Amino acid sequence: MEDQDARTPAHSQKKDKGFEYASQWQLMWWNFRKHKLAMVAGIVIIIMYLGAMFAEFVAPYDPSIRHRGYNQAPPQRVHFRDEN
């Protein structure tokens, strides 16, 4: 009777060795990368966290203050530095 390893190709044996010695996190990452919707959702979550981290830059005004005189004002350009 032949040995199972003798019948399988060499590249298949190397591939199987990686799964045998991979950690649980590596196995989860490999499966996560194959799932396209999970990758898109991961990118969306990263963008949301970045928006939360830079919230003062994205929306520098206090949300509790209302400027009733400017209801019909046009949109303003983005200013990266103060004019003063």
Side-chain angles (χ1 to χ4, degrees):
M1 207 178 235
E2 289 184 35
D3 188 22
Q4 177 67 19
D5 292 336
R7 287 185 274 154
T8 58
H11 69 283
S12 176
Q13 290 175 358
K14 288 180 184 176
K15 192 175 186 181
D16 292 340
K17 294 273 185 186
F19 285 110
E20 289 177 11
Y21 295 110
S23 69
Q24 187 69 26
W25 287 104
Q26 287 174 324
L27 293 172
M28 288 189 314
W29 174 245
W30 291 339
N31 284 332
F32 185 77
R33 277 194 348 215
K34 290 180 188 177
H35 201 281
K36 292 183 193 298
L37 184 60
M39 290 297 290
V40 170
I43 291 170
V44 169
I45 288 174
I46 289 171
I47 290 171
M48 291 175 74
Y49 272 110
L50 287 173
M53 287 172 49
F54 298 107
E56 289 186 13
F57 176 75
V58 174
Y61 303 108
D62 188 12
S64 63
I65 296 175
R66 299 282 183 186
H67 300 286
R68 297 187 192 277
Y70 297 106
N71 284 344
Q72 301 297 322
Q76 303 295 312
R77 291 185 299 157
V78 176
H79 300 284
F80 291 106
R81 57 189 165 90
D82 193 13
E83 294 291 329
N84 298 332

